[in-house]
Amino acid sequence: MTDLPYSQLAAAWLVCSLGFTALWWHQRRTANANAVDVGWAIAIGTLAAMYALLGTASVPMRALVGVLPALWAMRLARHIHQRSGHAVEDSRYRYLRAHWSERTQAKFFVFYQFQSLAAVLFSLPFFALANQPGSLQPGQWLPAMAVWVIAVTGETIADRQLAAWRGQPAKAGLTCRAGLWRYSRHPNYFFEWLHWCSYVPLGLGTAAWWVPLATQALMLLTLLHGTGIPHAERQAVLKRGDDYRHYQATTNAFFPWFPSSRPR
């Protein structure tokens, strides 16, 4: 790890900082910060592609490092844009706007720059893997591809099932229990985390083995205890009340499993 070209990280931070500054300016003009979520996904995919182009690893390794995150990022960015690109500002950002009643835009600027640093942090597995010596082995790419396909397919299915549920007027105010949502209250988050696990096998046998492992652990903590499930659960209870409380009492929050017939 000591011989890695850390100048790539400096370039990554500069690219992200400029990109998120543009998004901050867009937020300032529109009073809507929803685009930052799209920008975060695009930033990750862009950095992965940049590392793949500049890296020193074997061509097959750099191809996987560049292509897999880019495809994931394009799907996620498209989904987020379709869901919230033209919607009222997300409650997370409305809360910040109300909480930061003084010097709001200055604080939003710091927030956006923090998002750029977070994008660089979560891109570290791709930076490390794209600069590892040695050839790519079947024991690395086969499990990585298998987990990636399962994760991205599962997340896509979960998103589409939820969108189909929300598109039915008769289901308004009711909790989605269709398909994957029968087995987890947040299957989209579960498969999002699983996607980050797909890069762990690529690090096997390299000096960077711990980087993708640590990153998936950080993503798990973020989803379970940070900006993922806690906020989503609070909003769901506010919107759906007892129906969602019953869902909470019978269905796992994260890891898919069969629902309980009686409240836990």
Side-chain angles (χ1 to χ4, degrees):
M1 294 291 289
T2 56
D3 297 328
L4 291 178
Y6 291 103
S7 59
Q8 292 181 19
L9 291 180
W13 173 79
L14 179 60
V15 168
C16 282
S17 180
L18 292 173
F20 279 92
T21 297
L23 288 173
W24 168 78
W25 185 257
H26 177 267
Q27 169 275 144
R28 182 171 182 169
R29 290 178 57 250
T30 62
N32 189 322
N34 286 351
V36 71
D37 296 323
V38 176
W40 193 84
I42 293 175
I44 297 289
T46 300
L47 294 184
M50 185 184 80
Y51 299 142
L53 289 172
L54 300 177
T56 58
S58 65
V59 172
M61 175 67 89
R62 287 189 287 125
L64 285 180
V65 166
V67 172
L68 296 186
L71 291 176
W72 160 83
M74 286 190 293
R75 191 216 72 86
L76 182 59
R78 181 173 181 269
H79 167 71
I80 295 173
H81 178 71
Q82 289 178 334
R83 184 192 66 193
S84 61
H86 304 289
V88 174
E89 188 175 45
D90 187 274
S91 59
R92 291 170 296 165
Y93 306 126
R94 282 187 278 121
Y95 169 80
L96 291 179
R97 207 174 291 281
H99 185 66
W100 292 338
S101 56
E102 296 182 3
R103 302 189 66 190
T104 303
Q105 288 305 321
K107 293 174 181 177
F108 259 108
F109 182 81
V110 173
F111 170 76
Y112 272 66
Q113 293 307 309
F114 177 80
Q115 294 298 310
S116 73
L117 289 174
V120 174
L121 175 63
F122 277 98
S123 76
L124 287 179
F126 315 127
F127 163 71
L129 294 171
N131 289 284
Q132 290 302 305
S135 58
L136 185 64
Q137 302 299 319
Q140 294 173 295
W141 69 264
L142 280 174
M145 286 291 295
V147 175
W148 189 92
V149 169
I150 292 171
V152 175
T153 301
E155 191 170 10
T156 301
I157 291 172
D159 288 339
R160 290 181 177 178
Q161 288 172 340
L162 183 60
W165 178 275
R166 289 174 171 173
Q168 302 176 60
K171 305 295 187 181
L174 298 177
T175 302
C176 178
R177 293 175 172 84
L180 295 171
W181 299 84
R182 167 178 165 80
Y183 305 100
S184 169
R185 301 202 301 270
H186 302 280
N188 52 340
Y189 287 161
F190 168 76
F191 286 109
E192 170 65 17
W193 165 73
L194 192 65
H195 154 261
W196 289 93
C197 294
S198 67
Y199 305 112
V200 173
L202 293 178
L204 296 176
T206 74
W209 64 268
W210 60 273
V211 182
L213 188 65
T215 304
Q216 65 80 25
L218 178 60
M219 177 56 71
L220 182 63
L221 288 173
T222 301
L223 292 172
L224 292 181
H225 304 293
T227 58
I229 289 178
H231 172 77
E233 295 272 296
R234 286 192 296 269
Q235 293 301 307
V237 170
L238 287 174
K239 292 178 180 178
R240 293 185 283 279
D242 288 341
D243 183 60
Y244 196 81
R245 292 188 185 94
H246 184 266
Y247 186 51
Q248 287 177 310
T250 57
T251 308
N252 276 5
F254 189 70
F255 293 101
W257 191 246
F258 295 98
S260 174
S261 57
R262 293 180 296 178
R264 296 185 176 94

